[in-house]
Structures are given as structure tokens and as C-alpha cells.
């Protein structure tokens, strides 16, 4: 919101240009005044002392009053302009894998010791920050899906809930991709007047538990008009699952600060993710490091742009009364002066 002084009828101000012309013409034309004296000596003495410029002062007051009247006729007003964003927005549900394999540290630099989930969380926060006009929700899943955040425009609250998540927070082990997609589809379908519904599924494993298979879940989402982008993360070769504390999601290191390997993780088969994306009209992506994952979310951000419209309107506070009152005051002053101090002999 911002304020601006303007005139409702600005073309009226053109009349101000006539006032200097009127003053110039009035000084050149007009009837000469004359008085009859019984003696020329009296007239000579009176003329010698006539130094007052009362006439010029009176005409100045009158011209100033007329100028103020013209300004009042132009309709001065204070305009309070408001700009509001009107956008239908896109409803986006982020579906994030919290299975134990997401603790693998194969996507960052060896010195970073960052898990797949930590890197994914950083990229997700950056993605959310780029979409302030969209409602975004978050579903996390392992053996079962949980709603971490409903669809909301309060992205600060969404990020707080994302920060609370860690590997091990869901006690049910496994990777229930189908169930998670079904829950996300139900949440998206429940939102009325949605311009577009999008689901972004991020996982590093194969569906191995749950009541619903991934492909039927994707077909259900497609029937509800939901587009699914699927992202498979992790390197293309076996890697170790590091030892960690499931109560905090923090890595446990040996006395030398090195990761303690446990079981060996095999690369997932992401064929089903490609089919899920295809059946819903979305895309399937693979990311083996942070840069690739960041580029994927940037591509999705570019593909699913919200059309933002700005509505501009104004409320007006009239100000014409102030120059009008000033003009009346000047005219009143002129009337008082010409009948008192500057009274003239006819």
C-alpha cells in the first residue's frame, strides 16, 4: 500500500495559466482615476506622498484566491493504492521416504557425512521457498505413511515440521510407497477449487510393505487429476548403511570420527516409479548426488509455475475543501482590507 496526491480533474488546472495573463492585461488597460482639487498645490503635495502599493496587494490576494478555487475544482485527493496478489496457486504434496536406507551417505562429499535424507531436506526447503503462492503439504513414510503437514500457505510452519523429521521417527520399518501415494492423493483431492494438483514422490527403495501397490495408487491419483513426479535417489551400486541412533536420526561414529558400516544396501529398481509418473502425466527422475537432486526440483519448479495476477485498487480521501477554505479566507481578507486600511475614494 502507498499514498499518492492526485487530481480527479487535472485538466482544470490549465485555467491557472490564464491568471498571469489576466494580471498583465489588467495592469495595461483600464480607466484612469481622477480627483478634482481646488488648488494645484494640494494635488502636488498629495502626489508626492502616494507610495503605497495597496492596489497590487489587493489584486494579488484576489488572484491567489481564484487560483485556490481552480485547484479545488480540479478535485485534489489523497489516493491510497493497494496491490493484492490474486493467484489460484498449485496444490503440491511432498511425499518423502523415511525408511532406514535414507541414512546412506552416498550422495554428498565423503568429508560431509550427510545422509540422503539430510540432503533431500535441504533441497526441499529451497524448493518450498521458491513457491510462496502455492499450498504445500508433506507426507513422510516408512512402513506406514504419516501426515507431517497438511496443505498450507504457512511455509514457515511446514519447514518447522520438516525439521522435526528424522530417520527412525517412524517405528514401522519398510517402504510403503503405494500407501503413501494413496494418502497424498486423498489429501489433495479433499482441497476444493484447486487449479492444479501435484505430487512429488522422493524415495530410495522398492515398495515392500503396505496394503496398496504403487501402480494402482498412481492410477487412483491420475483419476483424481493429480500429476505425480517421482524421484529415485541413491548411487547405482551397493553401499553401506551406516550405524545411527533411531531416536535422534544422528550418525554414530567410531573414536576416529569415521562412519561405522552395518548392512549392505542394494540399488533399488525404479522401473515402477517410471510407470507411476507416466500413468499420471508426470515425469520420473534419477538423482545420485545433491547437484542432480537440486536440478530436478528446479525443473519441476519450472514446469509447475503458478500464474500470479496483481489486483490494484485505490481508496480516495478528498482534499478539495482545504484550498476552497483558504480561498474564502483570502476573499474575506480582501473585503476587510478594501473597507478599512485600503479603502479607496470613489
Amino acid at each position: 500500500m502507498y499514498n499518492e496526491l492526485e487530481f480527479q480533474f487535472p485538466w482544470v488546472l490549465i485555467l491557472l495559466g490564464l491568471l498571469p495573463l489576466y494580471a498583465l492585461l489588467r495592469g495595461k488597460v483600464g480607466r484612469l482615476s481622477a480627483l478634482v482639487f481646488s488648488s494645484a498645490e494640494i494635488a502636488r503635495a498629495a502626489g508626492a506622498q502616494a507610495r503605497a502599493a495597496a492596489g497590487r496587494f489587493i489584486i494579488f490576494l484576489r488572484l491567489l484566491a481564484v487560483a485556490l478555487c481552480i485547484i479545488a475544482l480540479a478535485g485534489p485527493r489523497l489516493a491510497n493504492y493497494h496491490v493484492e496478489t490474486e493467484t489460484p496457486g498449485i496444490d503440491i504434496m511432498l511425499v518423502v521416504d523415511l525408511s532406514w536406507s535414507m541414512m546412506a551417505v552416498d550422495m554428498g562429499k565423503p568429508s560431509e557425512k550427510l545422509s540422503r535424507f539430510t540432503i533431500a531436506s535441504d533441497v526441499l526447503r529451497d524448493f518450498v521457498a521458491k513457491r510462496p503462492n502455492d499450498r504445500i503439504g508433506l507426507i513422510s513414510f516408512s512402513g506406514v505413511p504419516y501426515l507431517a503437514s497438511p496443505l498450507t500457505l504457512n511455509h514457515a510452519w511446514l519447514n518447522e515440521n520438516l525439521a522435526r523429521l528424522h530417520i527412525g521417527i517412524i517405528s514401522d520399518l519398510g517402504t510403503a510407497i503405494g500407501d503413501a501415494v494413496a494418502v497424498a492423493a486423498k489429501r489433495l483431492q479433499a482441497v476444493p477449487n484447486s487449479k492444479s494438483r501435484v505430487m512429488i514422490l522422493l524415495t530410495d527403495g522398492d515398495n515392500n510393505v503396505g496394503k496398496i501397490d504403487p501402480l494402482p495408487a498412481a492410477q487412483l491419483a491420475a483419476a483424481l487429476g493429480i500429476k505425480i513426479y517421482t524421484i529415485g535417489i541413491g548411487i547405482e551400486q551397493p553401499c553401506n548403511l551406516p550405524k545411527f541412533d533411531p531416536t535422534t536420526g544422528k550418525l554414530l561414529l567410531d573414536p576416529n570420527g569415521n562412519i561405522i558400516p552395518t548392512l549392505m544396501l542394494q540399488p533399488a529398481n525404479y522401473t515402477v516409479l517410471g510407470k507411476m509418473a507416466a500413468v499420471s502425466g508426470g515425469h520420473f527422475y534419477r538423482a545420485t548426488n545433491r547437484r542432480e537432486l537440486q536440478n530436478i526440483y528446479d525443473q519441476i519448479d519450472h514446469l509447475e509455475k503458478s500464474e500470479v495476477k496483481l489486483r490494484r485498487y485505490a481508496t480516495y480521501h478528498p482534499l478539495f475543501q482545504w484550498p476552497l477554505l483558504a480561498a474564502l479566507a483570502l476573499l474575506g481578507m480582501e473585503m476587510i482590507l478594501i473597507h478599512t486600511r485600503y479603502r479607496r475614494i470613489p
Side-chain angles (χ1 to χ4, degrees):
M1 183 181 72
Y2 61 95
N3 299 327
E4 185 176 302
L5 179 65
E6 63 177 38
F7 292 91
Q8 186 176 2
F9 310 108
W11 54 268
V12 175
L13 297 176
I14 298 176
L15 298 176
L16 292 174
L18 299 178
L19 296 182
L21 180 62
Y22 169 75
L24 180 64
L25 294 176
R26 193 178 185 282
K28 291 186 177 181
V29 298
R31 190 177 50 139
L32 297 175
S33 299
L35 291 175
V36 178
F37 291 93
S38 58
S39 171
E41 292 297 327
I42 298 176
R44 186 178 300 110
Q49 298 177 6
R51 297 177 183 175
R56 288 196 296 271
F57 180 68
I58 293 298
I59 193 60
F60 170 75
L61 289 180
R62 188 172 302 168
L63 290 175
L64 183 57
V66 173
L68 290 171
C69 288
I70 292 174
I71 293 174
L73 285 174
R77 59 188 182 181
L78 189 63
N80 299 316
Y81 285 102
H82 307 262
V83 179
E84 292 184 352
T85 301
E86 291 184 336
T87 174
I90 297 175
D91 294 322
I92 303 173
M93 186 62 78
L94 304 174
V95 185
V96 182
D97 191 350
L98 284 185
S99 59
W100 282 27
S101 58
M102 290 288 287
M103 279 302 300
V105 292
D106 59 337
M107 292 184 63
K109 298 177 181 178
S111 58
E112 291 178 328
K113 298 184 178 66
L114 297 178
S115 67
R116 294 173 178 175
F117 175 70
T118 300
I119 292 174
S121 298
D122 292 341
V123 175
L124 285 173
R125 274 188 283 270
D126 182 68
F127 176 79
V128 170
K130 294 177 181 177
R131 308 192 69 88
N133 301 308
D134 297 321
R135 287 179 293 197
I136 303 177
L138 175 63
I139 286 180
S140 59
F141 70 96
S142 182
V144 292
Y146 282 97
L147 179 67
S149 170
L151 290 162
T152 180
L153 286 169
N154 188 350
H155 294 169
W157 186 74
L158 171 69
N159 284 326
E160 287 179 8
N161 289 333
L162 176 61
R164 294 189 183 102
L165 298 179
H166 62 80
I167 307 304
I169 196 172
I170 300 176
S171 58
D172 302 81
L173 302 183
T175 308
I177 296 175
D179 288 3
V181 170
V183 171
K186 183 179 179 180
R187 286 284 175 174
L188 285 167
Q189 189 269 337
V191 179
N193 304 321
S194 178
K195 174 180 177 288
S196 179
R197 298 182 175 96
V198 172
M199 186 188 310
I200 305 176
L201 168 66
L202 183 144
T203 181
D204 69 343
D206 298 307
N207 186 81
N208 52 30
V209 294
K211 300 177 181 179
I212 305 175
D213 288 334
L215 193 54
Q219 292 170 341
L220 170 64
L224 297 174
I226 300 170
K227 187 186 300 182
I228 304 177
Y229 293 95
T230 56
I231 305 172
I233 66 172
I235 61 175
E236 301 281 359
Q237 59 191 28
C239 64
N240 287 305
L241 174 67
K243 190 175 182 180
F244 70 101
D245 182 359
T247 61
T248 62
K250 295 185 180 298
L251 291 170
L252 298 177
L253 307 177
D254 63 18
N256 296 322
N258 298 317
I259 290 173
I260 304 172
T262 58
L263 58 88
M264 185 67 67
L265 298 175
Q266 299 297 323
N269 181 3
Y270 291 131
T271 303
V272 68
L273 294 185
K275 293 179 179 179
M276 292 172 67
V279 77
S280 65
H283 295 276
F284 165 65
Y285 300 95
R286 279 288 285 122
T288 60
N289 54 55
R290 180 196 289 268
R291 180 180 55 80
E292 291 178 355
L293 186 60
Q294 182 69 65
N295 289 339
I296 289 169
Y297 276 96
D298 289 342
Q299 290 179 45
I300 297 174
D301 176 61
H302 179 73
L303 290 172
E304 298 292 339
K305 279 297 183 184
S306 298
E307 182 182 357
V308 178
K309 297 180 181 178
L310 298 180
R311 184 169 71 95
R312 185 174 184 264
Y313 66 95
T315 55
Y316 300 101
H317 180 67
L319 301 174
F320 70 91
Q321 66 273 19
W322 301 113
L324 186 59
L325 288 174
L328 292 175
L330 290 176
L331 290 175
M333 182 186 300
E334 178 189 349
M335 295 298 296
I336 293 172
L337 289 175
I338 63 177
H339 286 89
T340 56
R341 180 178 177 82
Y342 297 143
R343 186 176 182 181
R344 294 181 300 175
I345 299 175

